[in-house]
Amino acid sequence: MYNRILLAVDGSDHSVRAANEAVKLAAGSAESQVTIVFVADYDNAKNEVLHSGSSLELDLQRRKKLQPVEETMAAENIPCKVEILHGTPGPAIVEYANKEKFDILVIGSRGLNSLQEMVLGSVSHKVVKRANCPVLIVK
Amino acid sequence: MAEKMKTQWFGNVRGDILAGIVVALALIPEAIAFSIIAGVDPMVGLYSSFSIAVIIAFVGGRPGMISAATGAMALLMVPLVRDHGLQYLLAATILTGVIQIIFGVFKVAKLMKFIPRAVMIGFVNALAILIFMAQVPHFLGINTLTYVFVAITLAIVYIVPRFFTAIPAPLIALVALTAVTIYYGFDMRTVGDLGTITQTLPTFLLPDVPFNLETLMIILPYSLALAVVGLLESLLTANIVDDMTGTSSDKNKESRGQGIANFVNGFFGGMAGCAMIGQSIINVKSGGRGRLSAFVAGTFLMFLIIVLGNVVIQIPMPVLVGIMIMVSIGTFDWSSFSYLKKAPKADAIVMVATVAIVVYTHDLSKGVFAGVLLSAIFFVAKISKIKVEKELQEAARYRVVGQLFFASVDDFLEKFDYEVEGQQVFIDFTDAHIWDDSGVGAVDRVVLKFKENGNGVVITGLDSGSQKLIDQLAIFNNEKAKLPTH
């Protein structure tokens, strides 16, 4: 069974859909635990610091983005914890997933910015290529 | 302590060395371009970048942050260099260092919290606009080839990083286009036309200025502006690096460190500098975390200049212009447009006013001061809205809601109906707070005016702070008190 589940989210609707699938996976075993990981993108750091009063406020803003996902978990009584990483989303998720040895990684198929996806390639694609564990991409 | 220093220096050797090299490469065009903005030889900016980066590696409070010659500082020194020359700039740089050390010792970094977000956003936008404006004379109306070179540079710096990130794209543009220019012998303005490059290490020199009060009065206004703007940008950058690395940093130590770096830098022939947002982001992204990366960046930069000095003077100006346009686009906060729509009107006005004043005066410090002042006024205006609700039943009952202080007393006084006679008037302060002498004076006036017409007045619901002020200052309980005449 999948006991250690990593759910990578970016705060969009797609992450809520991914969260629903993670719930289904977690329901299979009483011991499963979901780790919700969110990457604060280096490229947004200047903008986010400029537009927030303090580091506390910034942390709160980021956690607010994850609230719908956490609520999804709480509604099904799935034990979960939140991890906020700093870096470039694709590589940061891969590094974390490989270091912590998860049984499976769940990720939404499309992030917030379709223009970026066109130019830079999608985060989920990079993750599939380089993560060492099975990856579930949720459409 | 020693253990902490060791990890700050050698905890990430490989990452720091690689990132330091990348930063040095990215620094070259910027240091030259900022020297040209300030109106000094490119060597001044290069020496400055070397000295500041290396010194900050030792004395800074934010490992992983890169400091060097910057656009914000260069823009401030333009009139000083134009009117008085390089030696006065060096003297001003030393004084800037002294002021920043004093700021650091007195923990001025704490005052950063009084600078509103809107002012900081205005600051970076104004900086971006000024950097762009400084480029215009270098490309507008010179010749077609200049436009072509600027366009090719922009194409390289924006397209190449999509496929290849090991070498900073600006440097690729610089090397490629300089080579093309030399090879085909294009007639184009080069860095050499605007200054000289000397392939020597900086040496210790006292600035050649008369040491008297007159000199001090010339450089002091510039030094103050440089000190404030330098700290502002450095502390903003420190916050960004804090966030990117998920660690915290000692802002007062950083202020002192910036001061020490500028102080020493002035003696070695460098212009005042501060932390660089763009370069620090490049450093962290390239894996730089410790003090070693700033040290490597500074020393490798100097090494390159000594080796490559002859080539540097042949860099075509349009390439530098293109790189600076990229820097200004990267500096500008593009979410400002949505901010203008979403933010409260007062904040939006403060942001626009900060930008407008900087662009008009070409002085970032003036914009910041004006912005802080304006937002303070808006804040006072907002908080001074006081409500007095009247409930007329068997007696006159008033409920005061809001802050009672110097700015709100006029509103407060107007809200009462003093025509009543022989009544018991109740004033409830449960949802109000009295802040100062003027507030107490206003309560005095209201109470005494009611008493004049033979009314009794009962004040209720004062919180402890307000009660204390009333006990100390109010005179209305004194039987003989008359209405103050003022």
Side-chain angles (χ1 to χ4, degrees):
Chain A
M1 288 308 332
Y2 299 117
N3 285 336
R4 293 170 53 75
I5 301 167
L6 180 62
L7 172 62
V9 296
D10 64 357
S12 66
D13 291 347
H14 304 275
S15 18
V16 177
R17 281 209 290 279
N20 288 329
E21 298 308 311
V23 165
K24 286 182 200 161
L25 284 173
S29 156
E31 276 155 44
S32 50
Q33 201 203 3
V34 176
T35 303
I36 303 167
V37 67
F38 172 82
V39 182
D41 193 340
Y42 277 163
D43 287 337
N44 299 336
K46 185 194 115 195
N47 176 282
E48 287 176 343
V49 170
L50 203 55
H51 284 270
S52 65
S54 62
S55 56
L56 275 174
E57 195 186 319
L58 186 51
D59 192 52
L60 198 69
Q61 277 174 19
R62 286 178 181 144
R63 282 179 195 278
K64 261 192 193 155
K65 276 191 197 165
L66 305 183
Q67 217 172 0
V69 173
E70 280 189 89
E71 279 165 8
T72 311
M73 296 291 149
E76 304 291 329
N77 285 325
I78 311 262
C80 73
K81 65 168 186 164
V82 173
E83 191 74 43
I84 293 182
L85 306 176
H86 299 266
T88 308
I93 293 169
V94 170
E95 195 195 325
Y96 184 73
N98 291 348
K99 192 181 75 188
E100 301 283 322
K101 302 207 168 41
F102 286 94
D103 297 332
I104 189 168
L105 193 165
V106 184
I107 187 168
S109 76
R110 190 176 292 182
L112 286 168
N113 191 334
S114 56
L115 181 82
Q116 270 186 336
E117 191 176 324
M118 218 169 63
V119 182
L120 300 170
S122 76
V123 171
S124 53
H125 186 70
K126 283 182 199 165
V127 169
V128 169
K129 268 205 300 199
R130 289 167 34 212
N132 295 337
C133 62
V135 177
L136 174 63
I137 297 189
V138 180
K139 264 177 64 167
Chain B
M1 195 66 197
E3 192 60 33
K4 194 177 156 202
M5 263 295 153
K6 203 177 153 196
T7 39
Q8 284 189 351
W9 272 99
F10 303 113
N12 178 35
V13 175
R14 191 170 168 272
D16 281 354
I17 290 177
L18 284 175
I21 290 171
V22 172
V23 169
L25 297 176
L27 265 177
I28 294 175
E30 294 198 13
I32 296 170
F34 292 143
S35 308
I36 291 167
I37 288 179
V40 295
D41 265 357
M43 279 325 283
V44 179
L46 291 166
Y47 280 160
S48 161
S49 299
F50 162 68
S51 308
I52 294 176
V54 169
I55 297 163
I56 277 291
F58 290 94
V59 297
R62 174 63 262 184
M65 184 161 84
I66 301 296
S67 301
T70 56
M73 304 292 261
L75 288 159
L76 284 174
M77 41 185 95
V78 175
L80 178 66
V81 175
R82 189 184 55 216
D83 299 341
H84 300 280
L86 172 65
Q87 295 302 321
Y88 279 81
L89 170 61
L90 301 184
T93 299
I94 295 166
L95 185 59
T96 300
V98 174
I99 295 170
Q100 288 181 327
I101 294 170
I102 294 170
F103 282 174
V105 170
F106 287 101
K107 309 208 187 312
V108 171
K110 265 194 193 153
L111 295 181
M112 268 288 278
K113 67 170 183 236
F114 290 109
I115 298 178
R117 231 175 292 186
V119 176
M120 285 312 295
I121 298 169
F123 174 88
V124 297
N125 288 343
L127 174 60
I129 292 169
L130 287 191
I131 290 177
F132 182 82
M133 280 166 61
Q135 305 313 313
V136 173
H138 293 297
F139 74 85
L140 201 67
I142 295 177
N143 55 33
T144 319
L145 198 57
T146 303
Y147 291 123
V148 172
F149 263 59
V150 172
I152 295 174
T153 307
L154 284 171
I156 293 175
V157 296
Y158 282 109
I159 295 171
V160 169
R162 301 257 176 267
F163 309 101
F164 179 70
T165 50
I167 301 172
L171 195 80
I172 296 173
L174 203 70
V175 171
L177 291 177
T178 306
V180 167
T181 310
I182 295 172
Y183 186 76
Y184 288 102
F186 286 137
D187 179 30
M188 203 153 355
R189 284 216 299 179
T190 62
V191 170
D193 296 336
L194 294 160
T196 51
I197 295 277
T198 45
Q199 288 164 282
T200 49
L201 284 168
T203 47
F204 184 89
L205 280 172
L206 281 180
D208 183 17
V209 293
F211 289 92
N212 56 27
L213 194 65
E214 200 193 334
T215 305
L216 183 67
M217 293 325 284
I218 291 171
I219 62 174
L220 185 62
Y222 290 101
S223 297
L224 269 174
L226 288 166
V228 170
V229 168
L231 285 189
L232 207 59
E233 190 172 353
S234 299
L235 297 177
L236 173 64
T237 312
N239 282 334
I240 293 169
V241 177
D242 283 357
D243 182 59
M244 288 179 81
T245 57
T247 54
S248 62
S249 61
D250 184 343
K251 305 292 186 295
N252 289 312
K253 186 174 179 189
E254 185 58 45
S255 308
R256 290 197 304 276
Q258 291 286 334
I260 296 167
N262 275 324
F263 179 74
V264 178
N265 167 39
F267 288 109
F268 283 98
M271 61 197 237
C274 63
M276 313 177 81
I277 298 174
Q279 299 290 342
S280 301
I281 292 175
I282 291 176
N283 184 45
V284 175
K285 270 181 148 182
S286 312
R289 293 288 182 281
R291 294 176 177 275
L292 191 61
S293 66
F295 182 83
V296 170
T299 42
F300 192 62
L301 170 74
M302 205 61 234
F303 167 76
L304 287 170
I305 294 311
I306 288 174
V307 177
L308 300 173
N310 284 332
V311 188
V312 170
I313 54 167
Q314 302 190 54
I315 296 171
M317 274 309 291
V319 180
L320 282 188
V321 169
I323 294 169
M324 280 297 107
I325 292 175
M326 175 203 81
V327 168
S328 84
I329 291 172
T331 302
F332 197 87
D333 176 45
W334 293 97
S335 61
S336 297
F337 297 106
S338 59
Y339 176 81
L340 282 179
K341 276 188 222 144
K342 276 189 289 183
K345 269 224 172 59
D347 287 347
I349 293 171
V350 167
M351 203 278 271
V352 172
T354 305
V355 174
I357 289 164
V358 174
V359 172
Y360 182 71
T361 61
H362 280 246
D363 187 333
L364 285 160
S365 62
K366 287 194 182 114
V368 171
F369 283 129
V372 171
L373 202 66
L374 194 60
S375 43
I377 293 168
F378 279 139
F379 177 74
V380 169
K382 188 171 75 185
I383 204 164
S384 69
K385 292 205 178 78
I386 194 159
K387 275 201 306 197
V388 180
E389 290 160 9
K390 194 176 166 192
E391 307 157 18
L392 252 182
Q393 286 149 5
E394 78 276 18
R397 283 180 185 276
Y398 293 95
R399 203 163 66 85
V400 186
V401 182
Q403 314 296 323
L404 186 54
F405 67 116
F406 67 88
S408 58
V409 292
D410 283 350
D411 272 359
F412 175 73
L413 290 171
E414 282 170 12
K415 300 258 165 76
F416 293 92
D417 172 17
Y418 303 105
E419 301 298 309
V420 290
E421 277 177 34
Q423 294 249 22
Q424 190 71 344
V425 180
F426 293 92
I427 309 177
D428 180 5
F429 278 89
T430 307
D431 296 315
H433 186 84
I434 302 170
W435 286 100
D436 61 2
D437 186 35
S438 312
V440 177
V443 177
D444 270 340
R445 287 178 77 101
V446 170
V447 173
L448 294 174
K449 260 189 159 170
F450 276 125
K451 280 189 177 172
E452 259 191 351
N453 291 346
N455 301 297
V457 181
V458 178
I459 289 180
T460 57
L462 284 170
D463 60 23
S464 62
S466 308
Q467 184 69 55
K468 211 171 152 195
L469 267 180
I470 291 279
D471 290 344
Q472 279 170 0
L473 301 168
I475 51 167
F476 58 77
N477 286 328
N478 185 338
E479 288 303 319
K480 284 180 215 129
K482 286 272 166 330
L483 211 53
T485 45
H486 57 259

